[in-house]
Amino acid sequence: MKNFVQNMILVIALTIVILFSYAYVQNKVQSMNPSELYHLLKNELSILQSENNKTSDHLSDKPDTYHAVWVSYLEFNSYRNSVKTNNETAFREFFQRILDQCAQYDINHVIVHVRPFGDALYQSEYFPWAACISGKQGKNPGYDPLNIMVELAHKNNIKIEAWINPYRISSGADISELSDDNKAKIWSTSSTTERNVLTYENALYYNPASKDVQDLINHGVKEIVEKYDVDGIHMDDYFYPTFTKDNYDKVFDAVEYEKAIKEYVISSNTSIADWRRDNVNTLVSTLYQTIKSIDNNVIFGISPAGNLSNLRSNLEYYTDIDTWVEKEGYIDYIMPQIYWGFTNEQAPFEETLEQWIKLTKKSKVRLYIGLQLYRMGTTDQEQSDYEELQSAELITKQLNLLKTKSIAGYCLFSYQYLDADCKTYQFDSNEFSESRKKLLKQIATELKNRRQKSR
């Protein structure tokens, strides 16, 4: 069928060329050399292929087809701390184990953390090597992890998305700890660019209001899509930090906000909250256009926090979720992190899910759901859904509800909690009590059973 469609596209493309008007032929085609004519034909075919892919992609968007897991920088830390020699062979073995496990659990997408702290798990022109893979930021591990992950994922018929945190630089505020080739460190040493890097609550961030920052993030995404055969670009909930009612209009990028008003860049009636949302919207729409201009088949998705009231708050995130789902040109899918049980007092699972279903009902943006493996078996008894979190049935109940509601898919956070029995790598979950490991193993077994039943 695939070959038939491709052949038909070629026939249509050639027919279009043949049926060009006489004037067009005279003015355009006759004056072309063979190379120019070849590129014309190639461009026509590319356009038709793109339209066909859109149609095919839409038709294949059936409920319960996107089963994913996040592989975070914490898993890469565990890998690095577990191997005697950190080299390509060892990394291949590590990631192949992940893929083998995913296949058992009916997971067909992996979302890998490739830019966790303004650094990269790939050879980048814009960001230093990530500390989580080499042990020290800026140090080359001697191989390209992303290249290996893309290669192995596709060999195993699993799609792979590159996960980036756009603004987060460091969980500490010491610039000196960054590598010398880190753009944040370079910018911070000059009075003309120091505002590109901001400090808030002992953490470093790129300034969302800075054009330099916008360009840096965009160039970084362009680099990934051009150099690596990834299936998607993914961002999670790390946008603006959380402020308070007393400081939200006085800290962080408030300086840039006041300057924009004084220079008549924005109206004085524009609130700082709306201005911040515009900053994020500019970045998101720019990334979307960049990705699609390179490869229309690469998807772009965001996984925000799950509580809609928090997302719409004037104190945190500043993610204009309503615009993203209502208008085209922002994202292909939205994956709220509904990390709570059905009895959670603040955001009960089913009620929160219904809010997202309502929000996206008329949207072309696909709705996937992020689920909370990492909270299963928690020892924090103060949580309102504590009892639910002690039972493997919670995940089963949530997955069944997603299927009933015809939700297109889900993603689990994170991989290590599916592999809690692993003795080869020092995952954080290795330190769990035996009862909690048993619970996670029950969940993994249920995922295996669901895979067998779906065949």
Side-chain angles (χ1 to χ4, degrees):
M1 183 64 183
K2 182 178 179 181
N3 290 335
F4 173 78
V5 172
Q6 291 175 338
N7 289 334
M8 286 300 296
I9 290 173
L10 181 58
V11 170
I12 294 170
L14 292 174
T15 302
I16 289 174
V17 174
I18 293 171
L19 294 179
F20 275 166
S21 69
Y22 177 78
Y24 186 89
V25 173
Q26 286 292 98
N27 295 329
K28 299 291 183 182
V29 178
Q30 281 190 346
S31 62
M32 289 181 179
N33 60 41
S35 177
E36 291 172 329
L37 182 58
Y38 165 77
H39 285 292
L40 172 65
L41 292 171
K42 183 179 179 182
N43 184 59
E44 292 293 330
L45 181 59
S46 176
I47 293 172
L48 287 168
Q49 180 71 64
S50 176
E51 291 302 315
N52 176 70
N53 286 333
K54 288 181 183 178
T55 303
S56 298
D57 192 50
H58 173 71
L59 292 174
S60 65
D61 186 20
K62 299 176 182 177
D64 199 29
T65 58
Y66 182 105
H67 302 169
V69 67
W70 278 289
V71 182
S72 79
Y73 78 93
L74 296 173
E75 276 90 346
F76 295 122
N77 271 334
S78 297
Y79 153 76
R80 192 193 72 254
N81 292 328
S82 302
V83 296
K84 292 182 179 178
T85 304
N86 178 13
N87 56 26
E88 179 174 341
T89 299
F91 186 80
R92 282 180 175 273
E93 291 177 357
F94 166 73
F95 198 67
Q96 185 59 58
R97 177 187 176 86
I98 290 177
L99 298 174
D100 289 343
Q101 296 291 103
C102 286
Q104 294 184 53
Y105 305 134
D106 198 23
I107 290 171
N108 50 35
H109 286 70
V110 288
I111 301 176
V112 296
H113 221 167
V114 301
R115 211 158 76 229
F117 290 98
D119 47 16
L121 274 84
Y122 56 93
Q123 184 69 57
S124 174
E125 295 180 25
Y126 306 100
F127 300 93
W129 280 104
C132 68
I133 197 62
S134 65
K136 182 179 181 181
Q137 190 177 84
K139 179 183 177 182
N140 189 331
Y143 58 94
D144 189 324
L146 181 53
N147 189 53
I148 293 169
M149 290 190 287
V150 169
E151 174 201 332
L152 292 179
H154 289 163
K155 281 185 177 179
N156 287 266
N157 295 317
I158 291 178
K159 292 188 176 182
I160 181 168
E161 297 180 37
W163 166 18
I164 67 168
N165 292 121
Y167 302 129
R168 185 173 66 179
I169 298 172
S170 173
S171 56
D174 190 351
I175 288 283
S176 67
E177 292 185 358
L178 304 179
S179 63
D180 290 341
D181 60 342
N182 191 312
K183 198 70 174 178
K185 190 172 188 178
I186 296 170
W187 276 340
S188 67
T189 59
S190 170
S191 59
T192 60
T193 56
E194 61 181 355
R195 289 292 301 171
N196 289 340
V197 179
L198 303 176
T199 303
Y200 183 72
E201 292 193 337
N202 200 39
L204 294 172
Y205 299 85
Y206 279 118
N207 187 343
S210 166
K211 181 63 165 58
D212 289 339
V213 168
Q214 299 266 353
D215 289 343
L216 175 67
I217 298 168
N218 187 45
H219 290 155
V221 167
K222 180 179 180 182
E223 177 181 57
I224 293 173
V225 179
E226 286 184 337
K227 289 175 58 178
Y228 301 92
D229 187 22
V230 296
D231 298 291
I233 296 293
H234 177 92
M235 295 195 298
D236 60 357
D237 58 333
Y238 279 92
F239 290 95
Y240 272 84
T242 299
F243 306 119
T244 68
K245 291 182 179 179
D246 294 327
N247 74 4
Y248 79 100
D249 58 348
K250 302 178 182 66
V251 297
F252 207 63
D253 57 353
V255 171
E256 284 70 33
Y257 170 68
E258 294 296 337
K259 181 180 179 182
I261 290 178
K262 288 179 181 179
E263 295 180 354
Y264 301 102
V265 175
I266 59 173
S267 166
S268 59
N269 294 326
T270 303
S271 70
I272 191 170
D274 285 340
W275 176 75
R276 284 170 171 162
R277 291 186 187 97
D278 285 342
N279 290 334
V280 176
N281 279 352
T282 298
L283 175 67
V284 171
S285 62
T286 298
L287 296 183
Y288 183 89
Q289 295 302 324
T290 294
I291 292 166
K292 300 305 179 180
S293 69
I294 300 168
D295 188 343
N296 194 58
N297 294 313
V298 175
I299 60 175
F300 179 38
I302 295 179
S303 178
N307 192 319
L308 278 167
S309 61
N310 290 346
L311 294 179
R312 291 168 175 150
S313 165
N314 288 334
L315 303 179
E316 58 188 328
Y317 298 117
Y318 303 100
T319 52
D320 190 1
I321 192 71
D322 297 282
T323 294
W324 296 355
V325 300
E326 290 171 5
K327 297 182 180 180
E328 294 185 19
Y330 287 91
I331 53 176
D332 294 305
Y333 71 78
I334 195 75
M335 185 190 290
Q337 299 168 21
I338 309 183
Y339 285 171
W340 308 288
F342 292 82
T343 60
N344 186 276
E345 294 177 358
Q346 299 299 318
F349 185 83
E350 187 166 6
E351 180 181 321
T352 305
L353 175 63
E354 289 294 343
Q355 291 173 359
W356 282 97
I357 291 174
K358 181 179 179 181
L359 176 67
T360 58
K361 187 175 182 179
K362 297 181 180 180
S363 174
K364 292 183 180 179
V365 173
R366 300 176 197 169
L367 176 62
Y368 304 142
I369 303 299
L371 298 176
Q372 77 292 343
L373 270 186
Y374 78 102
R375 292 186 70 229
M376 298 304 297
T378 179
T379 57
D380 184 359
Q381 298 186 27
E382 299 302 315
Q383 299 183 61
S384 57
D385 51 0
Y386 172 79
E387 291 299 330
E388 279 188 294
L389 294 170
Q390 309 310 308
S391 171
E393 292 180 2
L394 173 58
I395 294 292
T396 300
K397 186 178 179 182
Q398 290 175 333
L399 290 175
N400 288 340
L401 180 61
L402 296 185
K403 192 169 185 178
T404 300
K405 298 293 183 179
S406 297
I407 302 300
Y410 60 85
C411 187
L412 303 168
F413 187 85
S414 66
Y415 169 77
Q416 63 173 301
Y417 300 95
L418 284 176
D419 204 3
D421 274 346
C422 178
K423 302 295 189 297
T424 306
Y425 304 105
Q426 299 172 17
F427 294 131
D428 294 339
S429 55
N430 291 162
E431 304 302 318
F432 290 165
S433 65
E434 289 304 314
S435 61
R436 190 172 184 186
K437 287 183 180 181
K438 182 179 179 180
L439 171 63
L440 291 171
K441 189 173 181 180
Q442 288 175 337
I443 295 171
T445 299
E446 171 59 21
L447 290 172
K448 289 181 182 179
N449 291 339
R450 294 179 74 89
R451 175 179 179 272
Q452 293 172 356
K453 291 176 182 178
S454 66
R455 286 187 163 186

